Amino acid sequence: MNKTVTPKRIVIALIAAGVLAGTTSFAYGLGHERAAAATGALIAGAEAPSAAIDLPIQEPGAHTMRVELDGADFIRNHADDWGGAVVSWSGSIATTDGTWEGNDTTVQGGGAIAAWAGSATVDGDAFSANGSAKNGGAIAVGGAVVVSDGTFDDNEASENGGAIYAGGAVSSVNGSYSDNTAWTGSGGAIFSNTGSISSVSDVFYRNWALG
């Protein structure tokens, strides 16, 4: 029997002009293995201590919580803590054909996306001009990152992983990484804490690690 996931809190930071402009669908499925899903949404200009989508730590024994995004755009969102646009504290994040632009954090990592104890899957998304106060200018996760046809341009991390920081392995196919910077650490484009990085048919151009 599936155990229903009932988060203690789900925070949507809709406190700035332009938030959820042009939304075609935005819904929460609080059942088995899916905590949030957005399709065709535009979330812009959210500023809060937490991200625009903030999934809490799940109850003990609950199924894995997931964020599933399809064609959702996150523009100029800000968080003091992890994940300028989206953070999942104990689950995974999967995004397809989204645009992530100008999102940032001022204290922790993951300028656009953070999965503190989970993984991230990117398929056809574009990440540009995102910034992190620590690791992962665009993405910071505790687990693995899988990228297919992703574009990462002009993202910056104060520490490691100008575009991507992963506690686990990173696999990238047909990705494009240009002008990303890790200001005081390693991995101008990609940093894996385990040192496991697989790159197939990717393009890397003018990425910088200045640590």
Side-chain angles (χ1 to χ4, degrees), residues 7 10 12 20 23-43 52-55 65-74 86-88 92-96 100:
I10 292 180
I12 306 297
L20 283 178
T23 302
T24 58
S25 174
F26 194 87
Y28 286 101
L30 296 181
H32 175 55
E33 291 190 346
R34 190 176 72 172
T39 302
L42 169 61
I43 300 180
I53 297 180
D54 181 347
L55 266 67
M65 298 170 66
R66 288 173 55 81
V67 180
E68 298 172 0
L69 304 167
D70 186 353
D73 297 336
F74 292 82
V86 177
V87 60
S88 177
S92 62
I93 297 171
T95 176
T96 301
W100 308 75

mmCIF file of all heavy atoms in Angstrom, residues 7 10 12 20 23-43 52-55 65-74 86-88 92-96 100:
data_model
loop_
_atom_site.group_PDB
_atom_site.id
_atom_site.type_symbol
_atom_site.label_atom_id
_atom_site.label_comp_id
_atom_site.label_asym_id
_atom_site.label_seq_id
_atom_site.Cartn_x
_atom_site.Cartn_y
_atom_site.Cartn_z
ATOM 1 N N PRO A 7 3.504 16.754 3.210
ATOM 2 C CA PRO A 7 4.533 17.660 3.696
ATOM 3 C C PRO A 7 4.013 18.541 4.828
ATOM 4 O O PRO A 7 2.850 18.921 4.839
ATOM 5 C CB PRO A 7 4.870 18.509 2.465
ATOM 6 C CG PRO A 7 4.369 17.714 1.309
ATOM 7 C CD PRO A 7 3.176 16.973 1.819
ATOM 8 N N ILE A 10 4.597 23.517 2.301
ATOM 9 C CA ILE A 10 5.048 23.778 0.942
ATOM 10 C C ILE A 10 4.927 25.274 0.743
ATOM 11 O O ILE A 10 3.857 25.845 0.882
ATOM 12 C CB ILE A 10 4.208 23.026 -0.102
ATOM 13 C CG1 ILE A 10 4.463 21.514 0.027
ATOM 14 C CG2 ILE A 10 4.548 23.496 -1.510
ATOM 15 C CD1 ILE A 10 3.671 20.688 -0.959
ATOM 16 N N ILE A 12 5.235 28.569 -1.536
ATOM 17 C CA ILE A 12 5.306 29.196 -2.844
ATOM 18 C C ILE A 12 5.470 30.692 -2.614
ATOM 19 O O ILE A 12 4.589 31.346 -2.076
ATOM 20 C CB ILE A 12 4.029 28.950 -3.659
ATOM 21 C CG1 ILE A 12 3.734 27.452 -3.749
ATOM 22 C CG2 ILE A 12 4.160 29.556 -5.049
ATOM 23 C CD1 ILE A 12 4.803 26.684 -4.473
ATOM 24 N N LEU A 20 4.072 34.039 -11.396
ATOM 25 C CA LEU A 20 3.076 33.187 -12.026
ATOM 26 C C LEU A 20 2.347 33.886 -13.178
ATOM 27 O O LEU A 20 1.188 33.625 -13.432
ATOM 28 C CB LEU A 20 2.052 32.667 -11.004
ATOM 29 C CG LEU A 20 2.554 31.529 -10.118
ATOM 30 C CD1 LEU A 20 1.481 31.131 -9.126
ATOM 31 C CD2 LEU A 20 2.961 30.327 -10.936
ATOM 32 N N THR A 23 0.728 31.555 -16.548
ATOM 33 C CA THR A 23 0.708 30.153 -16.170
ATOM 34 C C THR A 23 -0.370 29.393 -16.931
ATOM 35 O O THR A 23 -1.512 29.819 -17.003
ATOM 36 C CB THR A 23 0.427 30.011 -14.662
ATOM 37 O OG1 THR A 23 1.429 30.712 -13.952
ATOM 38 C CG2 THR A 23 0.444 28.557 -14.241
ATOM 39 N N THR A 24 0.010 28.245 -17.506
ATOM 40 C CA THR A 24 -0.993 27.388 -18.135
ATOM 41 C C THR A 24 -1.418 26.257 -17.202
ATOM 42 O O THR A 24 -2.533 25.795 -17.255
ATOM 43 C CB THR A 24 -0.462 26.787 -19.441
ATOM 44 O OG1 THR A 24 0.735 26.049 -19.176
ATOM 45 C CG2 THR A 24 -0.152 27.881 -20.439
ATOM 46 N N SER A 25 -0.507 25.831 -16.365
ATOM 47 C CA SER A 25 -0.857 24.785 -15.407
ATOM 48 C C SER A 25 0.148 24.775 -14.279
ATOM 49 O O SER A 25 1.343 24.841 -14.512
ATOM 50 C CB SER A 25 -0.861 23.405 -16.083
ATOM 51 O OG SER A 25 -1.063 22.383 -15.127
ATOM 52 N N PHE A 26 -0.355 24.735 -13.064
ATOM 53 C CA PHE A 26 0.535 24.630 -11.907
ATOM 54 C C PHE A 26 -0.207 23.874 -10.821
ATOM 55 O O PHE A 26 -1.240 24.324 -10.362
ATOM 56 C CB PHE A 26 0.951 26.012 -11.406
ATOM 57 C CG PHE A 26 2.102 25.957 -10.446
ATOM 58 C CD1 PHE A 26 3.406 25.975 -10.902
ATOM 59 C CD2 PHE A 26 1.881 25.863 -9.085
ATOM 60 C CE1 PHE A 26 4.470 25.926 -10.019
ATOM 61 C CE2 PHE A 26 2.942 25.806 -8.196
ATOM 62 C CZ PHE A 26 4.234 25.832 -8.666
ATOM 63 N N ALA A 27 0.279 22.701 -10.462
ATOM 64 C CA ALA A 27 -0.493 21.854 -9.549
ATOM 65 C C ALA A 27 0.422 21.060 -8.646
ATOM 66 O O ALA A 27 1.566 20.790 -8.974
ATOM 67 C CB ALA A 27 -1.385 20.896 -10.346
ATOM 68 N N TYR A 28 -0.132 20.677 -7.504
ATOM 69 C CA TYR A 28 0.565 19.797 -6.572
ATOM 70 C C TYR A 28 -0.129 18.457 -6.534
ATOM 71 O O TYR A 28 -1.339 18.379 -6.345
ATOM 72 C CB TYR A 28 0.563 20.378 -5.153
ATOM 73 C CG TYR A 28 1.499 21.528 -5.000
ATOM 74 C CD1 TYR A 28 1.030 22.827 -5.016
ATOM 75 C CD2 TYR A 28 2.859 21.304 -4.874
ATOM 76 C CE1 TYR A 28 1.900 23.884 -4.899
ATOM 77 C CE2 TYR A 28 3.730 22.365 -4.757
ATOM 78 C CZ TYR A 28 3.248 23.649 -4.766
ATOM 79 O OH TYR A 28 4.106 24.693 -4.659
ATOM 80 N N GLY A 29 0.644 17.394 -6.708
ATOM 81 C CA GLY A 29 0.122 16.065 -6.479
ATOM 82 C C GLY A 29 0.768 15.529 -5.228
ATOM 83 O O GLY A 29 1.947 15.197 -5.241
ATOM 84 N N LEU A 30 0.047 15.467 -4.153
ATOM 85 C CA LEU A 30 0.645 15.127 -2.863
ATOM 86 C C LEU A 30 0.557 13.635 -2.569
ATOM 87 O O LEU A 30 0.555 13.226 -1.427
ATOM 88 C CB LEU A 30 -0.045 15.919 -1.745
ATOM 89 C CG LEU A 30 0.138 17.430 -1.839
ATOM 90 C CD1 LEU A 30 -0.569 18.109 -0.684
ATOM 91 C CD2 LEU A 30 1.612 17.791 -1.835
ATOM 92 N N GLY A 31 0.495 12.829 -3.599
ATOM 93 C CA GLY A 31 0.428 11.398 -3.393
ATOM 94 C C GLY A 31 1.762 10.729 -3.621
ATOM 95 O O GLY A 31 2.823 11.318 -3.466
ATOM 96 N N HIS A 32 1.693 9.487 -4.054
ATOM 97 C CA HIS A 32 2.861 8.632 -4.185
ATOM 98 C C HIS A 32 3.878 9.191 -5.181
ATOM 99 O O HIS A 32 3.581 9.418 -6.343
ATOM 100 C CB HIS A 32 2.385 7.256 -4.661
ATOM 101 C CG HIS A 32 3.490 6.288 -4.948
ATOM 102 N ND1 HIS A 32 4.449 5.972 -4.029
ATOM 103 C CD2 HIS A 32 3.767 5.573 -6.064
ATOM 104 C CE1 HIS A 32 5.265 5.073 -4.551
ATOM 105 N NE2 HIS A 32 4.878 4.829 -5.792
ATOM 106 N N GLU A 33 5.081 9.451 -4.700
ATOM 107 C CA GLU A 33 6.244 9.754 -5.509
ATOM 108 C C GLU A 33 6.141 11.010 -6.368
ATOM 109 O O GLU A 33 6.896 11.204 -7.295
ATOM 110 C CB GLU A 33 6.625 8.556 -6.391
ATOM 111 C CG GLU A 33 7.158 7.400 -5.579
ATOM 112 C CD GLU A 33 7.754 6.315 -6.454
ATOM 113 O OE1 GLU A 33 7.513 6.336 -7.673
ATOM 114 O OE2 GLU A 33 8.447 5.460 -5.910
ATOM 115 N N ARG A 34 5.201 11.892 -6.104
ATOM 116 C CA ARG A 34 5.238 13.198 -6.776
ATOM 117 C C ARG A 34 4.738 14.253 -5.816
ATOM 118 O O ARG A 34 3.634 14.167 -5.314
ATOM 119 C CB ARG A 34 4.390 13.211 -8.049
ATOM 120 C CG ARG A 34 4.635 14.484 -8.846
ATOM 121 C CD ARG A 34 3.884 14.487 -10.149
ATOM 122 N NE ARG A 34 2.456 14.672 -9.949
ATOM 123 C CZ ARG A 34 1.604 14.874 -10.954
ATOM 124 N NH1 ARG A 34 2.028 14.849 -12.188
ATOM 125 N NH2 ARG A 34 0.328 15.063 -10.712
ATOM 126 N N ALA A 35 5.565 15.242 -5.601
ATOM 127 C CA ALA A 35 5.174 16.279 -4.658
ATOM 128 C C ALA A 35 4.726 17.542 -5.361
ATOM 129 O O ALA A 35 3.871 18.246 -4.873
ATOM 130 C CB ALA A 35 6.317 16.586 -3.705
ATOM 131 N N ALA A 36 5.289 17.832 -6.506
ATOM 132 C CA ALA A 36 4.900 19.049 -7.209
ATOM 133 C C ALA A 36 5.150 18.884 -8.691
ATOM 134 O O ALA A 36 6.070 18.206 -9.105
ATOM 135 C CB ALA A 36 5.679 20.252 -6.688
ATOM 136 N N ALA A 37 4.288 19.498 -9.487
ATOM 137 C CA ALA A 37 4.477 19.470 -10.934
ATOM 138 C C ALA A 37 4.023 20.791 -11.526
ATOM 139 O O ALA A 37 3.028 21.360 -11.088
ATOM 140 C CB ALA A 37 3.690 18.327 -11.561
ATOM 141 N N ALA A 38 4.749 21.276 -12.511
ATOM 142 C CA ALA A 38 4.362 22.504 -13.193
ATOM 143 C C ALA A 38 4.552 22.313 -14.678
ATOM 144 O O ALA A 38 5.560 21.761 -15.114
ATOM 145 C CB ALA A 38 5.203 23.680 -12.707
ATOM 146 N N THR A 39 3.588 22.756 -15.456
ATOM 147 C CA THR A 39 3.672 22.668 -16.906
ATOM 148 C C THR A 39 3.394 24.039 -17.509
ATOM 149 O O THR A 39 2.365 24.641 -17.225
ATOM 150 C CB THR A 39 2.645 21.656 -17.462
ATOM 151 O OG1 THR A 39 2.886 20.384 -16.869
ATOM 152 C CG2 THR A 39 2.768 21.544 -18.975
ATOM 153 N N GLY A 40 4.312 24.527 -18.307
ATOM 154 C CA GLY A 40 4.117 25.789 -19.004
ATOM 155 C C GLY A 40 4.014 26.997 -18.102
ATOM 156 O O GLY A 40 3.451 28.011 -18.484
ATOM 157 N N ALA A 41 4.554 26.927 -16.899
ATOM 158 C CA ALA A 41 4.447 28.038 -15.956
ATOM 159 C C ALA A 41 5.589 29.034 -16.156
ATOM 160 O O ALA A 41 6.682 28.667 -16.565
ATOM 161 C CB ALA A 41 4.470 27.521 -14.525
ATOM 162 N N LEU A 42 5.307 30.286 -15.872
ATOM 163 C CA LEU A 42 6.346 31.302 -15.780
ATOM 164 C C LEU A 42 6.339 31.841 -14.369
ATOM 165 O O LEU A 42 5.351 32.414 -13.921
ATOM 166 C CB LEU A 42 6.099 32.455 -16.766
ATOM 167 C CG LEU A 42 6.988 33.702 -16.575
ATOM 168 C CD1 LEU A 42 8.448 33.330 -16.747
ATOM 169 C CD2 LEU A 42 6.600 34.798 -17.537
ATOM 170 N N ILE A 43 7.428 31.632 -13.652
ATOM 171 C CA ILE A 43 7.548 32.120 -12.277
ATOM 172 C C ILE A 43 8.690 33.122 -12.265
ATOM 173 O O ILE A 43 9.835 32.769 -12.552
ATOM 174 C CB ILE A 43 7.798 30.975 -11.292
ATOM 175 C CG1 ILE A 43 6.623 29.982 -11.349
ATOM 176 C CG2 ILE A 43 7.986 31.517 -9.882
ATOM 177 C CD1 ILE A 43 6.764 28.818 -10.421
ATOM 178 N N ALA A 52 11.321 29.804 -4.846
ATOM 179 C CA ALA A 52 9.961 29.954 -5.356
ATOM 180 C C ALA A 52 9.159 28.675 -5.171
ATOM 181 O O ALA A 52 7.970 28.706 -4.883
ATOM 182 C CB ALA A 52 9.999 30.338 -6.830
ATOM 183 N N ILE A 53 9.795 27.526 -5.337
ATOM 184 C CA ILE A 53 9.189 26.245 -4.981
ATOM 185 C C ILE A 53 10.087 25.605 -3.947
ATOM 186 O O ILE A 53 11.252 25.343 -4.208
ATOM 187 C CB ILE A 53 9.033 25.318 -6.196
ATOM 188 C CG1 ILE A 53 8.081 25.936 -7.217
ATOM 189 C CG2 ILE A 53 8.529 23.953 -5.768
ATOM 190 C CD1 ILE A 53 7.871 25.087 -8.448
ATOM 191 N N ASP A 54 9.567 25.348 -2.768
ATOM 192 C CA ASP A 54 10.342 24.849 -1.634
ATOM 193 C C ASP A 54 9.655 23.612 -1.091
ATOM 194 O O ASP A 54 8.604 23.702 -0.464
ATOM 195 C CB ASP A 54 10.426 25.946 -0.559
ATOM 196 C CG ASP A 54 11.252 25.522 0.652
ATOM 197 O OD1 ASP A 54 11.558 24.329 0.788
ATOM 198 O OD2 ASP A 54 11.578 26.400 1.461
ATOM 199 N N LEU A 55 10.229 22.416 -1.362
ATOM 200 C CA LEU A 55 9.661 21.176 -0.850
ATOM 201 C C LEU A 55 10.376 20.790 0.431
ATOM 202 O O LEU A 55 11.596 20.708 0.467
ATOM 203 C CB LEU A 55 9.795 20.044 -1.879
ATOM 204 C CG LEU A 55 8.573 19.865 -2.764
ATOM 205 C CD1 LEU A 55 8.413 21.072 -3.677
ATOM 206 C CD2 LEU A 55 8.695 18.604 -3.578
ATOM 207 N N MET A 65 9.985 12.172 -2.629
ATOM 208 C CA MET A 65 9.265 13.316 -3.168
ATOM 209 C C MET A 65 9.975 13.816 -4.416
ATOM 210 O O MET A 65 11.199 13.852 -4.485
ATOM 211 C CB MET A 65 9.180 14.415 -2.115
ATOM 212 C CG MET A 65 8.425 13.992 -0.872
ATOM 213 S SD MET A 65 8.589 15.182 0.469
ATOM 214 C CE MET A 65 7.737 16.579 -0.223
ATOM 215 N N ARG A 66 9.193 14.199 -5.427
ATOM 216 C CA ARG A 66 9.756 14.644 -6.693
ATOM 217 C C ARG A 66 9.165 15.987 -7.117
ATOM 218 O O ARG A 66 8.003 16.270 -6.857
ATOM 219 C CB ARG A 66 9.456 13.628 -7.808
ATOM 220 C CG ARG A 66 10.227 12.349 -7.707
ATOM 221 C CD ARG A 66 9.741 11.345 -8.736
ATOM 222 N NE ARG A 66 9.775 11.855 -10.090
ATOM 223 C CZ ARG A 66 10.867 11.895 -10.864
ATOM 224 N NH1 ARG A 66 12.011 11.445 -10.388
ATOM 225 N NH2 ARG A 66 10.817 12.362 -12.099
ATOM 226 N N VAL A 67 10.006 16.773 -7.772
ATOM 227 C CA VAL A 67 9.527 17.949 -8.486
ATOM 228 C C VAL A 67 9.637 17.618 -9.967
ATOM 229 O O VAL A 67 10.702 17.240 -10.452
ATOM 230 C CB VAL A 67 10.377 19.193 -8.175
ATOM 231 C CG1 VAL A 67 9.837 20.401 -8.944
ATOM 232 C CG2 VAL A 67 10.391 19.480 -6.690
ATOM 233 N N GLU A 68 8.522 17.746 -10.704
ATOM 234 C CA GLU A 68 8.514 17.476 -12.137
ATOM 235 C C GLU A 68 8.094 18.745 -12.873
ATOM 236 O O GLU A 68 6.991 19.253 -12.663
ATOM 237 C CB GLU A 68 7.551 16.331 -12.452
ATOM 238 C CG GLU A 68 7.943 15.017 -11.779
ATOM 239 C CD GLU A 68 6.895 13.939 -11.945
ATOM 240 O OE1 GLU A 68 5.864 14.223 -12.589
ATOM 241 O OE2 GLU A 68 7.096 12.830 -11.431
ATOM 242 N N LEU A 69 8.963 19.251 -13.744
ATOM 243 C CA LEU A 69 8.727 20.502 -14.448
ATOM 244 C C LEU A 69 8.830 20.267 -15.947
ATOM 245 O O LEU A 69 9.776 19.628 -16.418
ATOM 246 C CB LEU A 69 9.751 21.550 -14.016
ATOM 247 C CG LEU A 69 9.834 21.834 -12.510
ATOM 248 C CD1 LEU A 69 11.081 22.642 -12.201
ATOM 249 C CD2 LEU A 69 8.593 22.554 -12.034
ATOM 250 N N ASP A 70 7.860 20.789 -16.687
ATOM 251 C CA ASP A 70 7.859 20.629 -18.142
ATOM 252 C C ASP A 70 7.552 21.976 -18.789
ATOM 253 O O ASP A 70 6.443 22.490 -18.677
ATOM 254 C CB ASP A 70 6.806 19.590 -18.552
ATOM 255 C CG ASP A 70 6.854 19.257 -20.036
ATOM 256 O OD1 ASP A 70 7.611 19.913 -20.773
ATOM 257 O OD2 ASP A 70 6.134 18.345 -20.462
ATOM 258 N N GLY A 71 8.558 22.570 -19.433
ATOM 259 C CA GLY A 71 8.364 23.855 -20.092
ATOM 260 C C GLY A 71 8.134 25.005 -19.151
ATOM 261 O O GLY A 71 7.583 26.038 -19.542
ATOM 262 N N ALA A 72 8.556 24.875 -17.908
ATOM 263 C CA ALA A 72 8.378 25.942 -16.918
ATOM 264 C C ALA A 72 9.579 26.886 -16.964
ATOM 265 O O ALA A 72 10.726 26.447 -17.043
ATOM 266 C CB ALA A 72 8.219 25.363 -15.525
ATOM 267 N N ASP A 73 9.321 28.187 -16.896
ATOM 268 C CA ASP A 73 10.369 29.200 -16.945
ATOM 269 C C ASP A 73 10.504 29.880 -15.589
ATOM 270 O O ASP A 73 9.507 30.290 -14.992
ATOM 271 C CB ASP A 73 10.048 30.255 -18.008
ATOM 272 C CG ASP A 73 10.008 29.664 -19.404
ATOM 273 O OD1 ASP A 73 10.634 28.626 -19.643
ATOM 274 O OD2 ASP A 73 9.335 30.266 -20.262
ATOM 275 N N PHE A 74 11.733 30.017 -15.128
ATOM 276 C CA PHE A 74 12.022 30.652 -13.846
ATOM 277 C C PHE A 74 12.991 31.807 -14.110
ATOM 278 O O PHE A 74 14.155 31.586 -14.470
ATOM 279 C CB PHE A 74 12.634 29.659 -12.870
ATOM 280 C CG PHE A 74 11.685 28.577 -12.430
ATOM 281 C CD1 PHE A 74 11.471 27.460 -13.221
ATOM 282 C CD2 PHE A 74 10.996 28.679 -11.228
ATOM 283 C CE1 PHE A 74 10.589 26.465 -12.828
ATOM 284 C CE2 PHE A 74 10.119 27.688 -10.827
ATOM 285 C CZ PHE A 74 9.912 26.574 -11.627
ATOM 286 N N VAL A 86 14.156 26.778 -7.216
ATOM 287 C CA VAL A 86 13.528 25.536 -6.753
ATOM 288 C C VAL A 86 14.475 24.807 -5.805
ATOM 289 O O VAL A 86 15.663 24.657 -6.100
ATOM 290 C CB VAL A 86 13.189 24.600 -7.938
ATOM 291 C CG1 VAL A 86 12.613 23.281 -7.431
ATOM 292 C CG2 VAL A 86 12.208 25.266 -8.893
ATOM 293 N N VAL A 87 13.933 24.334 -4.682
ATOM 294 C CA VAL A 87 14.719 23.495 -3.784
ATOM 295 C C VAL A 87 13.870 22.325 -3.304
ATOM 296 O O VAL A 87 12.688 22.475 -3.014
ATOM 297 C CB VAL A 87 15.262 24.301 -2.569
ATOM 298 C CG1 VAL A 87 14.140 24.905 -1.753
ATOM 299 C CG2 VAL A 87 16.158 23.432 -1.690
ATOM 300 N N SER A 88 14.465 21.152 -3.286
ATOM 301 C CA SER A 88 13.856 19.964 -2.697
ATOM 302 C C SER A 88 14.818 19.426 -1.649
ATOM 303 O O SER A 88 15.970 19.131 -1.958
ATOM 304 C CB SER A 88 13.598 18.891 -3.760
ATOM 305 O OG SER A 88 13.070 17.720 -3.167
ATOM 306 N N SER A 92 14.028 14.391 -5.532
ATOM 307 C CA SER A 92 14.679 14.668 -6.789
ATOM 308 C C SER A 92 13.930 15.738 -7.573
ATOM 309 O O SER A 92 12.760 16.028 -7.306
ATOM 310 C CB SER A 92 14.763 13.390 -7.630
ATOM 311 O OG SER A 92 13.461 12.905 -7.927
ATOM 312 N N ILE A 93 14.611 16.312 -8.555
ATOM 313 C CA ILE A 93 14.039 17.338 -9.417
ATOM 314 C C ILE A 93 14.279 16.928 -10.862
ATOM 315 O O ILE A 93 15.409 16.613 -11.246
ATOM 316 C CB ILE A 93 14.669 18.711 -9.140
ATOM 317 C CG1 ILE A 93 14.369 19.158 -7.707
ATOM 318 C CG2 ILE A 93 14.171 19.751 -10.142
ATOM 319 C CD1 ILE A 93 15.128 20.394 -7.273
ATOM 320 N N ALA A 94 13.221 16.911 -11.666
ATOM 321 C CA ALA A 94 13.329 16.613 -13.089
ATOM 322 C C ALA A 94 12.713 17.752 -13.872
ATOM 323 O O ALA A 94 11.578 18.157 -13.615
ATOM 324 C CB ALA A 94 12.627 15.297 -13.420
ATOM 325 N N THR A 95 13.454 18.296 -14.839
ATOM 326 C CA THR A 95 12.957 19.420 -15.622
ATOM 327 C C THR A 95 13.221 19.195 -17.097
ATOM 328 O O THR A 95 14.264 18.662 -17.497
ATOM 329 C CB THR A 95 13.592 20.750 -15.150
ATOM 330 O OG1 THR A 95 13.149 21.811 -16.001
ATOM 331 C CG2 THR A 95 15.097 20.688 -15.146
ATOM 332 N N THR A 96 12.247 19.598 -17.932
ATOM 333 C CA THR A 96 12.326 19.419 -19.376
ATOM 334 C C THR A 96 11.972 20.735 -20.076
ATOM 335 O O THR A 96 10.958 21.355 -19.757
ATOM 336 C CB THR A 96 11.345 18.323 -19.845
ATOM 337 O OG1 THR A 96 11.653 17.097 -19.183
ATOM 338 C CG2 THR A 96 11.432 18.127 -21.356
ATOM 339 N N TRP A 100 15.846 28.956 -17.303
ATOM 340 C CA TRP A 100 16.255 29.381 -15.960
ATOM 341 C C TRP A 100 17.234 30.535 -16.132
ATOM 342 O O TRP A 100 18.378 30.332 -16.528
ATOM 343 C CB TRP A 100 16.917 28.223 -15.217
ATOM 344 C CG TRP A 100 16.121 26.956 -15.199
ATOM 345 C CD1 TRP A 100 15.943 26.076 -16.229
ATOM 346 C CD2 TRP A 100 15.391 26.425 -14.095
ATOM 347 N NE1 TRP A 100 15.148 25.035 -15.836
ATOM 348 C CE2 TRP A 100 14.788 25.216 -14.526
ATOM 349 C CE3 TRP A 100 15.186 26.851 -12.772
ATOM 350 C CZ2 TRP A 100 14.001 24.429 -13.702
ATOM 351 C CZ3 TRP A 100 14.408 26.072 -11.942
ATOM 352 C CH2 TRP A 100 13.827 24.879 -12.399
#
